[in-house]
Amino acid sequence: MSPMRTLLVLCLLLALAGCGGSSNSAANNSSGSSGGSGGSGGSTPPSAVNVQPITVNAGLFNKYANGAFASVTICVPGSTNCQTIDNVLVDTGSYGLRLISSLVTLPLTNEKDANGNSLANCIQYVDKSYNWGPVAIADVKLAGETASSVPLELIGGGGLPAAPSQCSGTDGKPESTAQDLGANGILGIGPYQQDCGLACTLSGSSNPGVYFTCTASTCNVASVPLAQQVQNPVFSFSTDNNGVILQLPAVNPPGATSVPGSMIFGIGTQSNNSLGSATAYMLDNSGDITVTYNGQPYSKSYVDSGSNAYFFLDSNSTGMPMCKSANSFYCPASAKDFNVTVSGTNGASNPVTFTIANAESLFQTPNAALPQLGGDSPNTFDFGLPFFYGRSVAYGYENHTTPAGNGPFVAF
Amino acid sequence: MRVLTLLTMLFAAANVFASLGGTYTTVQDDGAHMKGAVRVRQMVAYDLHEITAPTGVRVREFVSPQGRVFGVAWDGPVLPDMQQVLGEYYADYIRAAQEPTRAHGQPLVVRTPNVVIYSGGHMRSMHGSAYVPQLMPANVKAEEVR
């Protein structure tokens, strides 16, 4: 999600969003202040106990395209000793809160195994980059909601040996700093409760190796009960815990420098979080939907606010050339429309239309919100943040009931 | 693609790295390395060897009539051992992964004359594929390697 270009906007313009670092102000659970830096995208989002403001802007280093950020308050469990960290990426493609360790000034307790050894978390991404750090316990506050004693990852945190080879390989790239990540952390609010789930409770070769117990010098794969795994904090709210809705206004092409939006907790639990006329698409066992294009179904497709473009198919199947400089992105000579069909395992099926423009041209504007940014991803459709503009996208959580049925699902 | 036969085998061969671009016997090595069951399906234009590890990570290796692994595909809750799966093409993957302009969490696509690699997905659901254009049987389309 760090961007493929540099925006011309000065960091100063983003001062309200805390450009350049985290704020360490003691925070309460008020939802009254807007986290946004204002801007051109729409009206001020509603303020309510279950509504956390989010902002799409160029991020901490003034170069992020299509990143949605929020402030997250963490507290020593059961206390008023709290800290608010801003510029945390809002990511529906992951589960659990991960914060850059060096920004956390609270005295949090790390999880230990039965032998008193530290518990560490390794999240590996598609390019073998990885987050490595201890699992700590904190209360997490978003809007007026509190998740008590939630396990989270302190990325790059101390007190651990270097990442073991099962985590890093010999040449995986660590993402340990805000610079590496392009954000102060990742708030994973997708439809699952844990970052690993049942597989990490198993022992032996069935365990995929997301958790490790570490002595002073070595780390070994650990079996970890579900409750001790890094948790999506929304599941731990006492109310409004059956899902989340992201709302962003429509953004006119070519884009906007900053867009305010809302992260609304719960589905059908308050007057402000009904699904309305949205269709729920039940997810398959991998958390995916099917997108059909030109009669061909692509079953490993997904809707992910943490992806910064529409990533889909390739140059051959779309008829669009890749850019010369930013070669992960499409550079059509003129904007091109795509008509696809989205379907879930419940048989729900609807058309979706979107447009892809020339990425190099888009990157020459000062805009951070780019609704027509697209890139390649063979044999799949990854509907990233541009898909969210002008929509309410809801995620029904696993093992929870909503008016649209049981999660996991995505609805829009 | 009609499935002609289906048989399940468990291999206990030596633990050897190999794969994309490798020869037939390396598939058995991969099964041993992954501690997984290897299932072989004979398709019209190639053999498809599917290895399922106890973690649920599945790797499919596409073997040409000449016995070469011309394509691989994978899915599962975490990445497979990419070095093992990509073999000599692993360096191309790492080179692309470490480009400083790459975006966090973005799908990774490598396109060179020698190899095409895709790695994507999200937490708890990773997937990808790779193929060597020069080793592809003439009647097989790249989209079949998935």
Side-chain angles (χ1 to χ4, degrees):
Chain A
M1 305 169 199
S2 99
M4 308 307 235
R5 71 343 185 338
T6 302
L7 294 172
L8 301 173
V9 190
L10 290 174
C11 198
L12 280 175
L13 293 178
L14 299 166
L16 282 174
C19 192
S22 73
S23 65
N24 286 335
S25 56
N28 57 30
N29 61 2
S30 158
S31 63
S33 67
S34 164
S37 57
S40 54
S43 59
T44 303
S47 174
V49 70
N50 65 332
V51 180
Q52 174 75 25
I54 63 175
T55 307
V56 177
N57 61 30
L60 275 175
F61 304 99
N62 199 29
K63 56 179 190 175
Y64 214 114
N66 291 324
F69 303 97
S71 290
V72 177
T73 298
I74 55 172
C75 307
V76 172
S79 82
T80 55
N81 188 11
C82 301
Q83 174 187 6
T84 298
I85 295 180
D86 59 15
N87 284 286
V88 176
L89 185 74
V90 176
D91 181 16
T92 63
S94 72
Y95 327 109
L97 178 60
R98 305 188 144 72
L99 297 171
I100 298 297
S101 177
S102 59
L103 303 173
V104 177
T105 56
L106 294 178
L108 299 179
T109 302
N110 289 354
E111 282 192 341
K112 310 265 189 204
D113 71 1
N115 299 319
N117 293 321
S118 296
L119 191 66
N121 184 224
C122 172
I123 296 301
Q124 205 173 53
Y125 297 95
V126 298
D127 57 1
K128 277 188 87 174
S129 63
Y130 63 93
N131 300 144
W132 170 250
V135 180
I137 307 290
D139 289 352
V140 177
K141 296 187 177 185
L142 293 161
E145 316 266 9
T146 299
S148 296
S149 294
V150 178
L152 53 86
E153 182 184 358
L154 297 178
I155 298 171
L160 295 177
S165 60
Q166 298 103 308
C167 175
S168 61
T170 50
D171 33 27
K173 188 167 75 174
E175 288 189 334
S176 306
T177 66
Q179 193 94 41
D180 293 335
L181 214 55
N184 286 332
I186 303 169
L187 176 62
I189 51 163
Y192 297 95
Q193 186 163 7
Q194 299 90 14
D195 60 355
C196 182
L198 277 177
C200 284
T201 68
L202 305 175
S203 57
S205 59
S206 298
N207 188 307
V210 174
Y211 289 91
F212 295 80
T213 51
C214 298
T215 65
S217 57
T218 58
C219 298
N220 291 299
V221 174
S223 309
V224 178
L226 292 177
Q228 288 178 28
Q229 296 181 19
V230 171
Q231 310 272 315
N232 176 344
V234 179
F235 278 80
S236 301
F237 291 163
S238 56
T239 58
D240 306 322
N241 56 16
N242 62 346
V244 67
I245 302 171
L246 291 188
Q247 280 183 353
L248 286 166
V251 178
N252 290 329
T257 55
S258 177
V259 176
S262 298
M263 173 164 51
I264 304 171
F265 303 112
I267 293 174
T269 59
Q270 307 277 356
S271 59
N272 65 359
N273 62 12
S274 80
L275 284 177
S277 59
T279 301
Y281 305 89
M282 300 300 161
L283 305 180
D284 68 14
N285 291 335
S286 302
D288 295 327
I289 54 174
T290 295
V291 174
T292 302
Y293 174 65
N294 276 350
Q296 176 75 40
Y298 298 94
S299 61
K300 293 185 178 300
S301 298
Y302 48 100
V303 182
D304 174 16
S305 68
S307 294
N308 70 347
Y310 289 95
F311 291 107
F312 65 109
L313 305 181
D314 59 21
S315 227
N316 278 343
S317 49
T318 61
M320 296 187 294
M322 306 312 297
C323 302
K324 288 192 174 66
S325 58
N327 68 2
S328 303
F329 293 100
Y330 287 124
C331 270
S334 58
K336 181 162 179 171
D337 294 334
F338 289 87
N339 299 298
V340 301
T341 302
V342 172
S343 50
T345 58
N346 54 336
S349 186
N350 281 302
V352 164
T353 300
F354 60 96
T355 302
I356 301 301
N358 186 299
E360 281 174 354
S361 302
L362 296 175
F363 290 157
Q364 282 163 12
T365 71
N367 298 316
L370 302 171
Q372 299 182 334
L373 185 63
D376 62 346
S377 187
N379 296 325
T380 190
F381 280 78
D382 169 2
F383 287 148
L385 199 70
F387 178 78
F388 291 69
Y389 299 140
R391 284 190 168 91
S392 279
V393 180
Y395 291 83
Y397 282 178
E398 64 169 340
N399 302 320
H400 281 74
T401 302
T402 79
N406 297 333
F409 65 76
V410 60
F412 48 84
Chain B
M1 296 193 303
R2 195 161 59 90
V3 177
L4 298 177
T5 64
L6 178 75
L7 51 136
T8 301
M9 290 177 260
L10 267 172
F11 290 103
N15 184 348
V16 176
F17 286 119
S19 268
L20 184 61
T23 52
Y24 174 78
T25 55
T26 64
V27 176
Q28 299 169 35
D29 297 334
D30 292 343
H33 183 75
M34 291 179 68
K35 301 185 178 68
V38 180
R39 199 177 63 171
V40 181
R41 286 191 288 167
Q42 295 179 327
M43 318 300 271
V44 173
Y46 53 86
D47 283 0
L48 177 57
H49 300 243
E50 184 170 287
I51 307 163
T52 305
T55 55
V57 174
R58 295 187 304 170
V59 175
R60 292 174 292 286
E61 303 194 296
F62 296 74
V63 182
S64 71
Q66 292 73 38
R68 296 291 294 277
V69 179
F70 64 87
V72 293
W74 60 89
D75 60 76
V78 293
L79 287 177
D81 181 333
M82 296 298 279
Q83 191 161 13
Q84 175 206 9
V85 169
L86 295 177
E88 62 187 284
Y89 301 98
Y90 178 70
D92 297 278
Y93 166 79
I94 287 296
R95 196 175 302 120
Q98 299 195 338
E99 273 180 23
T101 54
R102 254 191 70 68
H104 164 84
Q106 197 178 13
L108 180 141
V109 184
V110 176
R111 267 173 265 93
T112 76
N114 296 326
V115 69
V116 176
I117 304 170
Y118 156 66
S119 178
H122 53 86
M123 184 175 273
R124 293 173 60 164
S125 176
M126 310 289 251
H127 49 86
S129 58
Y131 63 90
V132 179
Q134 285 94 334
L135 296 180
M136 292 277 281
N139 50 351
V140 178
K141 290 181 184 158
E143 303 90 85
E144 291 183 46
V145 182
R146 55 193 286 196

